[in-house]
Amino acid sequence: MKREILAAEDAEDLQIISAKLQDAVGRVGDLVWLPKAQRFAALFNRFMWENKRKTDNLRVRSGLHFNGVRSVKSQKILRGDPDAVLSLLAIRFAQRGAEDPGGTVELIFAGGGTIQLDVEYLDAGLADISGEWAALGRPEHEADR
């Protein structure tokens, strides 16, 4: 299967990355902010929603990054437990204004946890970094039932 490599420079682009990462799981220890480099990076095991054969539930290891990150805040994230597992639901971007390319990126996790990135501009990337493997199951949502 082909590996995904995506970039986002506006909210519309980020919606595509968000959809690819819906139901991705990762460990708190796999989320890192590098303040000197102004970069936030994360590793996730993402569910391959693009796989057309619904009988094959697959996951792939993917790296997500944001550049131009000035600060990071989190709520309801167990930062002291690097092995705590997070399930990503969505990523949103709220631009500060029409003339200001900066804004806030919000990563929204199951259970009410969030991470907010204050960014100078939107510059994100997602890349698959492994081959796929069989997932234990297929994530379900209220609309699926």
Side-chain angles (χ1 to χ4, degrees):
M1 190 157 282
K2 113 178 177 178
R3 291 186 179 180
E4 292 285 339
I5 300 175
L6 301 171
E9 294 181 346
D10 60 32
E12 190 175 324
D13 293 343
L14 191 61
Q15 286 178 345
I16 295 167
I17 289 177
S18 177
K20 292 283 184 183
L21 283 171
Q22 182 180 9
D23 299 309
V25 293
R27 296 176 331 121
V28 169
D30 291 334
L31 309 174
V32 63
W33 179 41
L34 305 167
K36 287 184 182 177
Q38 293 192 319
R39 186 175 180 100
F40 178 86
L43 292 173
F44 290 103
N45 296 335
R46 75 173 183 86
F47 190 83
M48 297 181 70
W49 290 108
E50 68 273 18
N51 183 20
K52 301 298 181 209
R53 294 187 352 213
K54 295 197 180 219
T55 56
D56 292 341
N57 295 323
L58 302 173
R59 285 200 181 264
V60 64
R61 188 83 160 151
S62 299
L64 171 69
H65 74 269
F66 292 90
N67 294 318
V69 178
R70 295 193 285 208
S71 68
V72 177
K73 296 178 185 173
S74 65
Q75 294 180 318
K76 297 184 181 179
I77 302 289
L78 298 172
R79 295 185 313 180
D81 183 358
D83 292 322
V85 175
L86 299 169
S87 179
L88 185 63
L89 299 178
I91 305 172
R92 295 187 189 131
F93 177 63
Q95 192 169 340
R96 272 190 279 280
E99 300 299 317
D100 185 347
T104 302
V105 172
E106 185 175 38
L107 288 83
I108 302 161
F109 297 94
T114 60
I115 296 176
Q116 299 90 25
L117 312 176
D118 177 31
V119 297
E120 293 179 44
Y121 47 87
L122 187 58
D123 178 5
L126 175 69
D128 292 344
I129 58 174
S130 77
E132 68 267 4
W133 67 86
L136 296 177
R138 183 176 197 83
E140 284 190 22
H141 301 273
E142 291 296 322
D144 295 341
R145 295 181 190 161

